[in-house]
Amino acid sequence: MERELIVIVQPEVNLRATTEGIRSVAGMDVSSLADVLGSESATLQPLFGLSEERLRQQALSSTAETGVEVPDLSVYYRVQAPDDRLDDLAARLRELDVVTSAYVKPAAEPPLRLNNMMPLATEAPPVTADFTSRQGYLQAAPGGVDAVYAAGIAGGGGAGVGIIDIEGAWRFTHEDLTQNQGGVVGGTQSTDIGWRNHGTAVIGEFGGDRNSFGVTGICPDANVRAVSIFGGTGSAGAIRQAADLLNPGDIILIELHRAGPRFNFQGRLDQRGYIAIEWWEDDFAAILYATSRGVIVVEAAGNGAENLDDAIYETRPVGFPATWTNPFNRNNRDSGAIVVGAGAPPPGTHGRDHGPDRSRLDFSNYGSIVDAQGWGREVTTCGYGDLQGGSNEDLWYTDTFSGTSSASPIVVGALGSVQGVLRTQGKTPLSPAAARNLLRTTGSPQQDAPGRPSSQRIGNRPNVRQMLYRVASIWFHNQKVLYTYAHHTSQWAWAYIEDYGWARIKDGAPDGVTNLFVMMNKAKAKDLLVHVHIEAGLITTAYLL
């Protein structure tokens, strides 16, 4: 991915950029802008692909439909010019009155240092083995996210949920990615095998087919598609395209990071100092556009070993808008994204030890903006070929996919499972804000590691069972009632259900709060079993056995 020169124009200019040149619909003088571009044989293109009129109309329509103000993407442009001229051209553009901002964005990259596995030379067997026993992240909490439990609930495989992965390339012909895949729907795939292995591994974690061989995704019934940042799309343009293809409650996954200010935005082989992409103004606007439309955005925190609360991220870079504030501090502003860090898997996974389970891995970025964690090492999925290799990429699997890149798809899978259940039950799917809150208030807590205390926040590992208990409608059969409690100055009453814990009897429950509370006390006193229906954490119905 090449660097990008991003220009933000004053809204009142009402600029139009076409193949024929630039003009101001408002009648303002834009000749100085045309002269600078012409002197470099550069062209100005709307960053988000569509015409300015269409982008503005989309924003107005979305705001009218949802009541949530959508950012104006019509003022963002990309300058097409040789890479060695971008910095000087940005400096000249910043001197113009009609330009609010002009900055050069580092190339977006996948985390190649962590994922440099090579395929085995041995050819794959006639039938691939079942590798699900190696996917510990599917198992019960705290070691996994309990996708196994979700698979037994109607919709728990992500039925009716759309997911779009944003990065560079994929192998949609892989033998384990054939059932619910929609392919590449935007941009042009890179031909680089590093990008292709990366995208294939990502999708395998949540979208691997449910069958008798290979891997199984966390939410394999979801419809999975992809948008590439190549072919002139760019990261921000890809996010906008994906958002327009999805419905509220669907999910975008951003599998990118780029060089930040720690080392003056310079790319490094070790990728130290790389950060989440929302720090750049155009990417922030694109993410906010998506979440304003009700689409959940899951964003890798990055593998730069950075404290995203560090003061360095409060300094406005050259060329950013004068109104820019640090998005890593949500007290300033909030894109609505769910930011994911990388935690250690349970010690002994695949015979290796990366520290205490759920502790921060040394490469993972951390800070108050990070909402949740996933496995950052030892992820078994499609691609790379170090678990099963040979000459046919469609049969490749890996045991060692790593990084915030392997962590983020686990969070996507957990959310896909929950959204699938809610949709199957006819309920409104989680909004971006509700999804983030659910991840932050449930799950298996982060643990300390030597030199990496839990105060270096990467958040909890998702627990899909807990998440569903909180928001879905579930029957609990053959349960013991262990404790009861009533608040004597109100109608509130609680029961402790064996496999659930404390649940309050819903106000206005069909069987009546008092009647249900009497039933719970009888079950407790006589050691009888009950069937209990719990919806969004509240007891609505029960039957005494």
Side-chain angles (χ1 to χ4, degrees):
M1 179 67 187
E2 68 274 10
R3 299 192 304 161
E4 299 175 72
L5 171 49
I6 306 300
V7 173
I8 306 175
V9 176
Q10 298 282 3
E12 58 269 23
V13 175
N14 213 346
L15 190 71
R16 297 293 183 270
T18 68
T19 56
E20 299 174 353
I22 61 172
R23 63 186 177 88
S24 167
V25 175
M28 297 180 67
D29 183 7
V30 293
S31 59
S32 59
L33 175 58
D35 289 344
V36 170
L37 294 170
S39 69
E40 297 279 356
S41 298
T43 58
L44 195 69
Q45 300 174 347
L47 177 63
F48 292 99
L50 302 176
S51 68
E52 293 91 342
E53 293 96 334
R54 187 172 292 274
L55 287 168
R56 288 188 175 183
Q57 186 57 47
Q58 279 189 348
L60 290 172
S61 297
S62 182
T63 298
E65 182 179 336
T66 66
V68 178
E69 186 174 353
V70 175
D72 181 8
L73 303 183
S74 70
V75 298
Y76 290 83
Y77 296 86
R78 181 179 179 180
V79 176
Q80 296 289 350
D83 182 82
D84 61 359
R85 298 301 305 152
L86 295 183
D87 297 292
D88 288 343
L89 189 50
R92 294 178 64 190
L93 290 168
R94 286 194 290 270
E95 296 175 357
L96 305 180
D97 290 340
V98 296
V99 172
T100 298
S101 173
Y103 55 92
V104 179
K105 199 164 64 166
E109 299 181 30
L112 295 179
R113 180 180 69 87
L114 293 172
N115 294 299
N116 57 1
M117 301 83 78
M118 298 299 294
L120 299 172
T122 306
E123 291 296 329
V127 178
T128 297
D130 184 352
F131 296 135
T132 54
S133 64
R134 305 186 70 81
Q135 292 180 268
Y137 55 91
L138 299 177
Q139 301 305 312
V145 300
D146 215 348
V148 174
Y149 171 78
I153 305 293
V161 179
I163 300 173
I164 293 182
D165 179 34
I166 294 176
E167 44 183 300
W170 304 262
R171 186 82 173 184
F172 277 105
T173 56
H174 192 282
E175 66 168 354
D176 232 349
L177 300 175
T178 65
Q179 292 178 2
N180 293 297
Q181 315 302 326
V184 180
V185 292
T188 302
Q189 291 203 69
S190 168
T191 58
D192 180 77
I193 194 170
W195 280 107
R196 189 164 64 248
N197 270 325
H198 188 273
T200 305
V202 164
I203 287 179
E205 289 185 56
F206 53 77
D209 294 343
R210 185 187 284 112
N211 53 36
S212 61
F213 61 87
V215 298
T216 299
I218 297 172
C219 56
D221 299 329
N223 175 257
V224 180
R225 292 172 286 174
V227 175
S228 176
I229 61 175
F230 293 96
T233 311
S235 55
I239 295 166
R240 196 280 306 164
Q241 281 191 37
D244 286 348
L245 290 168
L246 294 171
N247 296 313
D250 288 341
I251 304 168
I252 289 173
L253 171 57
I254 301 173
E255 280 282 335
L256 305 166
H257 63 175
R258 58 169 56 95
R262 180 68 63 193
F263 300 104
N264 196 30
F265 306 101
Q266 298 302 304
R268 296 165 55 101
L269 290 177
D270 65 2
Q271 299 189 328
R272 280 287 311 278
Y274 282 43
I275 57 176
I277 69 169
E278 72 171 64
W279 199 69
W280 284 267
E281 187 68 16
D282 57 311
D283 290 307
F284 179 93
I287 294 170
L288 183 59
Y289 172 81
T291 58
S292 297
R293 292 169 58 88
V295 176
I296 294 171
V297 176
V298 176
E299 176 186 13
N303 298 340
E306 284 290 300
N307 175 7
L308 300 182
D309 291 327
D310 192 279
I312 194 172
Y313 298 110
E314 294 291 340
T315 301
R316 180 171 63 90
V318 173
F320 276 32
T323 56
W324 179 88
T325 55
N326 174 20
F328 292 163
N329 180 351
R330 286 176 176 159
N331 291 324
N332 293 330
R333 54 185 178 148
D334 188 349
S335 72
I338 292 165
V339 180
V340 180
T349 300
H350 304 155
R352 290 178 281 267
D353 187 346
H354 299 279
D357 186 27
R358 307 186 307 284
S359 61
R360 184 181 75 83
L361 292 165
D362 58 358
F363 59 79
S364 179
N365 290 342
Y366 61 94
S368 58
I369 193 175
V370 184
D371 299 295
Q373 64 164 290
W375 280 29
R377 291 283 194 185
E378 307 299 335
V379 170
T380 301
T381 183
C382 305
Y384 291 99
D386 56 295
L387 176 60
Q388 176 174 288
S391 58
N392 186 349
E393 275 187 59
D394 289 341
L395 307 180
W396 285 4
Y397 294 85
T398 179
D399 237 3
T400 55
F401 191 42
S402 300
T404 53
S405 289
S406 67
S408 301
I410 288 176
V411 174
V412 168
L415 289 170
S417 293
V418 173
Q419 298 290 65
V421 171
L422 293 177
R423 283 201 163 125
T424 299
Q425 294 181 353
K427 301 181 185 302
T428 302
L430 298 172
S431 67
R436 179 198 284 172
N437 181 67
L438 188 61
L439 288 167
R440 280 184 168 251
T441 56
T442 60
S444 304
Q446 181 181 346
Q447 303 297 303
D448 293 325
R452 301 189 301 278
S454 58
S455 58
Q456 296 178 348
R457 178 182 171 84
I458 58 170
N460 300 338
R461 177 181 294 155
N463 180 336
V464 177
R465 185 189 296 253
Q466 279 188 1
M467 295 167 75
L468 290 173
Y469 284 2
R470 183 75 66 86
V471 299
S473 176
I474 300 176
W475 276 100
F476 294 82
H477 297 287
N478 301 312
Q479 297 290 300
K480 289 184 177 181
V481 178
L482 303 181
Y483 312 101
T484 59
Y485 174 77
H487 191 273
H488 296 295
T489 59
S490 72
Q491 284 290 307
W492 286 10
W494 291 261
Y496 191 104
I497 307 302
E498 182 179 16
D499 287 345
Y500 181 89
W502 284 107
R504 185 166 68 85
I505 299 173
K506 183 179 180 181
D507 295 339
D511 294 330
V513 174
T514 301
N515 291 340
L516 280 174
F517 189 60
V518 169
M519 182 191 302
M520 296 299 163
N521 278 297
K522 182 177 180 180
K524 173 178 171 290
K526 296 189 175 184
D527 200 26
L528 301 175
L529 298 179
V530 292
H531 296 328
V532 182
H533 182 257
I534 299 179
E535 183 170 356
L538 298 173
I539 298 172
T540 62
T541 307
Y543 298 98
L544 194 62
L545 301 184

